[in-house]
Amino acid sequence: MRYRTLGASGLRVSEVILGAMTFGEQGGVGAPLPECRRMLDQYAAAGGNMIDTAVNYRDGASEEFLGELLEGRRDSFVLGTKYTVSRDRDDPNAAGNHRKNLRASLETSLRRLRTDYLDVYWVHMWDRHTPVEETMRALDDAVQAARCCTWGSPTPPPGSSRTPTPWPSGAVGAGS
């Protein structure tokens, strides 16, 4: 397995990333826990070390499965999860990039993943209602509070003149 540096973070991540969007069977698709365990074990045996999930994947089952599967070996992986998409369709503040959703989503993800920090906290997508500066301040606060080591976004914020670059060399910040 070959490794690359994740943006300016200094983290070394495998070129092949394990996406856990289908970990869990909620919604009629996905994989049961034993199959997810086999996938993770094979990925790790091949030298993979970066796992990607999101607070909303399989209604949270993806993070819950990963929390169980990473027990005792969490530090061997670079763990990232995303927020922005709704955690609760009945709550208008359970989606978006504002501080309230960032904090609630982060705490939900940490609990499900059974960890006290994330290596990478991703902005899943930019919303047009929250000023980019507010999102950046909230992300930096999460880094300063040691709830995540770094943050990232697969796309540039709205109005940015930065040209999107292929992941993992896209936007990744380490806080200030």
Side-chain angles (χ1 to χ4, degrees):
M1 182 70 66
R2 294 187 323 189
Y3 301 88
R4 297 178 68 179
T5 304
L6 180 64
S9 72
L11 288 170
R12 304 281 295 156
V13 298
S14 51
E15 287 189 332
V16 176
I17 296 146
L18 179 62
M21 186 169 103
T22 58
F23 279 33
E25 298 176 281
Q26 288 66 13
V29 296
L33 186 61
E35 187 171 331
C36 295
R37 184 179 310 281
R38 282 191 297 278
M39 285 188 272
L40 180 62
D41 290 346
Q42 288 176 359
Y43 175 71
N49 74 340
M50 175 78 185
I51 301 172
D52 172 70
T53 188
V55 70
N56 64 305
Y57 287 170
R58 305 280 70 84
D59 289 327
S62 173
E63 289 181 334
E64 290 169 352
F65 277 23
L66 284 169
E68 181 173 335
L69 296 172
L70 293 176
E71 197 155 338
R73 56 182 177 167
R74 159 66 180 94
D75 289 337
S76 299
F77 294 94
V78 177
L79 181 59
T81 195
K82 298 180 283 298
Y83 90 105
T84 303
V85 181
S86 186
R87 293 171 283 103
D88 178 355
R89 290 167 190 87
D90 295 327
D91 181 354
N93 286 307
N97 294 341
H98 52 83
R99 182 179 296 269
K100 182 177 181 73
N101 186 46
L102 184 150
R103 289 181 57 147
S105 294
L106 180 57
E107 293 306 317
T108 298
S109 292
L110 292 172
R111 180 179 39 78
R112 288 176 179 163
L113 290 164
R114 303 181 191 182
T115 188
D116 58 352
Y117 76 98
L118 295 169
D119 296 299
V120 185
Y121 198 40
W122 296 100
V123 176
H124 209 156
M125 62 189 72
W126 295 95
D127 84 56
R128 299 191 189 285
H129 305 288
T130 307
V132 172
E133 296 80 10
E134 171 66 12
T135 303
M136 302 305 274
R137 278 193 305 269
L139 287 165
D140 187 57
D141 288 349
V143 171
Q144 297 303 316
R147 304 304 275 167
C148 58
C149 297
T150 192
W151 55 267
S153 173
T155 60
S160 171
S161 61
R162 193 176 70 77
T163 303
T165 55
W167 195 94
S169 59
V172 174
S176 55

